[in-house]
Amino acid sequence: ALVADVKTQGLWNNVTLVQFSEFARTLDPDTGDGSDHAWGANHFHFGGQVAGGKVRGLYPDDFVQSPSNPLALSRGRMVPTYPWNAMWKGTAEWFGVDDGAEMLKVLPMHLNFPNRTYDAAEL
């Protein structure tokens, strides 16, 4: 209903919606048969200017902790292939944040992930 209403108002190309889960869960249960917080999560990014239909990041093909698998840690914790900052860089650019000193204030860690963030043109 929200999308239909925004489109009716002619504002869809000016809207970007971001939904995310702030954490993931371990794949292995803890001592109480539950799961603990872990890295990684779901992120959805959509709106009139978003080039939809894309899945970002990589799904691991190996969940077993070993010296040859740097993404799998103990108890089923997986290291994400893309940082949380990945989608926020392009979103910040849409809001007029310059990729320089301003971006460092908004996303101070984004330079720690070369080639792992998305520019506005990639979203």
Side-chain angles (χ1 to χ4, degrees):
L2 172 70
V3 172
D5 189 43
V6 172
K7 284 182 177 179
T8 299
Q9 295 178 43
L11 298 173
W12 182 239
N13 285 337
N14 297 323
V15 172
T16 299
L17 298 157
V18 179
Q19 181 279 327
F20 60 92
S21 171
E22 73 275 15
F23 61 88
R25 291 290 183 174
T26 57
L27 301 175
D28 293 342
D30 61 17
T31 57
D33 287 334
S35 60
D36 289 325
H37 293 213
W39 290 304
N42 305 326
H43 301 108
F44 296 95
H45 200 176
F46 56 101
Q49 296 295 314
V50 176
K54 298 177 185 176
V55 175
R56 306 290 188 164
L58 303 171
Y59 190 80
D61 58 358
D62 183 2
F63 295 94
V64 179
Q65 182 182 9
S66 71
S68 64
N69 187 5
L71 299 180
L73 304 178
S74 66
R75 295 200 46 246
R77 292 176 298 139
M78 303 299 295
V79 177
T81 55
Y82 282 81
W84 188 78
N85 292 358
M87 70 176 175
W88 292 114
K89 185 172 182 290
T91 305
E93 289 173 351
W94 279 339
F95 282 95
V97 176
D98 291 327
D99 191 10
E102 286 184 335
M103 191 65 72
L104 286 172
K105 289 179 183 176
V106 173
L107 294 172
M109 301 295 286
H110 83 281
L111 293 178
N112 293 343
F113 305 99
N115 302 316
R116 292 291 186 188
T117 58
Y118 302 108
D119 293 333
E122 296 175 275
L123 296 176

